[in-house]
């Protein structure tokens, strides 16, 4: 993936936002599909927020017979396997997402008012990029995903985001990313003394209204 920047969609909740949320989509999706979600959040009392929805580059996916699709990294044998992961792909996407963080900083948004969010593969990238970033961020949202590169992550993380609030959510009936892998990620982060809000829902690999409401509550408490 020889890219130096990410294309993205953007929507603002008000004029001159000084808070940014960079939201990564899942495998085979695109950033624009999450734009309608913004209207579902109750952000009463929150300052104007700039939502950035980047589009992952297309790449061949091994688990999909090499068929190319938008992805942050390759999937070799399924999301349940933490022993075979595309380290190079994760690191390359980390650099691209970091570029968006720096872009928002240049637009006048302080690091501690920039949040990373993601669903599925995007969750993996939000967690990894955010917790390895050398400046304190505002928060990290991880939905239906996991911590990637779980064996090397404890050494690669950066202390700057040790106390950054983390919202983790997962469906107990998830048929794509097993609930157990989400739980393992939550346990790892708590063992490393991160500030994790863990939320489990009776749902598959999707988002529910209850989850959206809970995330809205979390955002209001964090930003209002």
């Amino acid at each position: 993936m020889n890219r130096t920047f990410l294309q993205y969609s953007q929507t603002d909740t008000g004029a001159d936002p000084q808070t940014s949320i960079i939201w990564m989509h899942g495998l085979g999706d695109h950033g624009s599909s999450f734009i309608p979600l913004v209207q579902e959040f109750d952000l009463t009392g929150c300052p104007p927020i700039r939502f950035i929805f980047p589009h992952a580059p297309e790449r061949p996916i091994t688990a999909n017979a090499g068929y190319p699709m938008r992805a942050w990294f390759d999937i070799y044998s399924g999301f349940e396997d933490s022993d075979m992961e595309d380290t190079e792909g994760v690191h390359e996407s980390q650099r691209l997402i970091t570029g968006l963080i720096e872009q928002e900083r240049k637009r006048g948004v302080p690091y501690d008012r920039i949040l990373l969010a993601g669903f599925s593969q995007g969750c993996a990238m939000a967690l990894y990029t955010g917790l390895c970033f050398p400046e304190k961020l505002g928060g990290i949202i991880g939905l239906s995903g996991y911590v990637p590169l779980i064996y090397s992550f404890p050494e690669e993380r950066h202390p700057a985001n040790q106390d950054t609030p983390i919202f983790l959510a997962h469906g107990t009936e998830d048929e794509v990313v097993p609930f157990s892998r989400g739980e393992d990620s939550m346990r790892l982060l708590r063992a490393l003394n991160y500030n994790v809000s863990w939320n489990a829902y009776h749902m598959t690999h999707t988002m529910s209204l209850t989850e959206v409401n809970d995330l809205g509550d979390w955002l209001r408490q964090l930003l209002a």
Side-chain angles (χ1 to χ4, degrees), residues 177-207:
V177 180
F179 181 69
S180 60
R181 189 153 192 209
E183 281 189 313
D184 288 344
S185 295
M186 175 269 292
R187 293 189 183 106
L188 170 66
L189 294 177
R190 285 186 171 172
L192 295 172
N193 296 315
Y194 283 103
N195 177 15
V196 178
S197 172
W198 171 247
N199 304 268
Y201 303 96
H202 183 71
M203 64 181 186
T204 57
H205 194 64
T206 186
M207 292 186 67

Side-chain angles (χ1 to χ4, degrees), residues 33-47:
S33 66
F34 282 92
I35 290 178
L37 183 65
V38 176
Q39 304 300 321
E40 301 300 320
F41 291 127
D42 179 0
L43 299 174
T44 303
C46 290

Side-chain angles (χ1 to χ4, degrees), residues 11 25 31 48 80 103 120 125 143 171 202:
T11 185
H25 62 76
E80 72 279 356
Q103 170 188 280
S120 194
M125 290 313 310
L143 310 177
H202 183 71

Side-chain angles (χ1 to χ4, degrees), residues 53-69:
F53 298 102
H55 315 301
E58 288 194 350
R59 62 166 72 240
I61 300 300
T62 302
N64 198 30
Y67 186 82
M69 58 176 58

